[in-house]
Amino acid sequence: MTDTRHTRIPFTAGINAGPQTTYRPLETEEASEQAVSDEPPMYRVLLLNDDFTPMDFVVQILIQLFGMTFDQANAVMLEVHHYGRGVCGEFTREIAETRVGQVNQIAREHEYPLMCVMERAE
């Protein structure tokens, strides 16, 4: 009796397939490169205006958590004040969620109603 556990079976698929059959790889090289080079979706972190949070507090949040200069932070704070919301930056989802949580936590610790939210960037 012959041991068939290690017998190699020749690959013969497609021999009788005929000329109409075309075999393509599951994933083309181009699609593979595109999947690797795709960047993750970005999210905008926004501050929302309220009537109670001091402007200086908002500026300090922007400097400390978002690494802005005083002039940049002041410009965003004025955008929030005049237009109801201002963009703090665009980040990957995980970073945006972290920043939103940090802003909201610090605002609550100081008993301010400042709200920070995120939205998907287009």
Side-chain angles (χ1 to χ4, degrees):
M1 181 165 249
T2 308
D3 185 8
T4 58
R5 288 180 290 175
H6 300 290
T7 304
R8 198 171 231 172
I9 301 172
F11 179 73
T12 58
I15 291 176
N16 298 323
Q20 298 92 340
T21 306
T22 305
Y23 292 97
R24 293 190 300 176
L26 294 176
E27 185 176 345
T28 64
E29 213 174 286
E30 182 179 302
S32 175
E33 288 177 17
Q34 183 181 14
V36 171
S37 66
D38 282 347
E39 294 182 10
M42 300 299 282
Y43 290 82
R44 226 176 258 121
V45 175
L46 306 163
L47 285 179
L48 305 180
N49 191 32
D50 65 75
D51 294 331
F52 302 101
T53 306
M55 293 178 178
D56 293 341
F57 181 79
V58 174
V59 169
Q60 285 305 309
I61 289 280
L62 293 167
I63 291 171
Q64 291 175 0
L65 294 182
F66 296 95
M68 295 184 184
T69 64
F70 176 80
D71 290 336
Q72 291 170 328
N74 201 47
V76 172
M77 178 272 302
L78 289 174
E79 184 179 345
V80 172
H81 181 69
H82 291 295
Y83 301 107
R85 67 187 216 159
V87 178
C88 303
E90 287 188 7
F91 308 95
T92 60
R93 182 181 182 129
E94 293 79 19
I95 294 173
E97 287 173 345
T98 300
R99 296 287 165 87
V100 167
Q102 289 172 328
V103 170
N104 290 334
Q105 180 183 357
I106 292 170
R108 298 306 159 262
E109 288 173 358
H110 289 84
E111 299 182 358
Y112 293 125
L114 180 65
M115 286 291 298
C116 188
V117 296
M118 62 187 248
E119 67 181 18
R120 189 167 180 157
E122 298 166 10

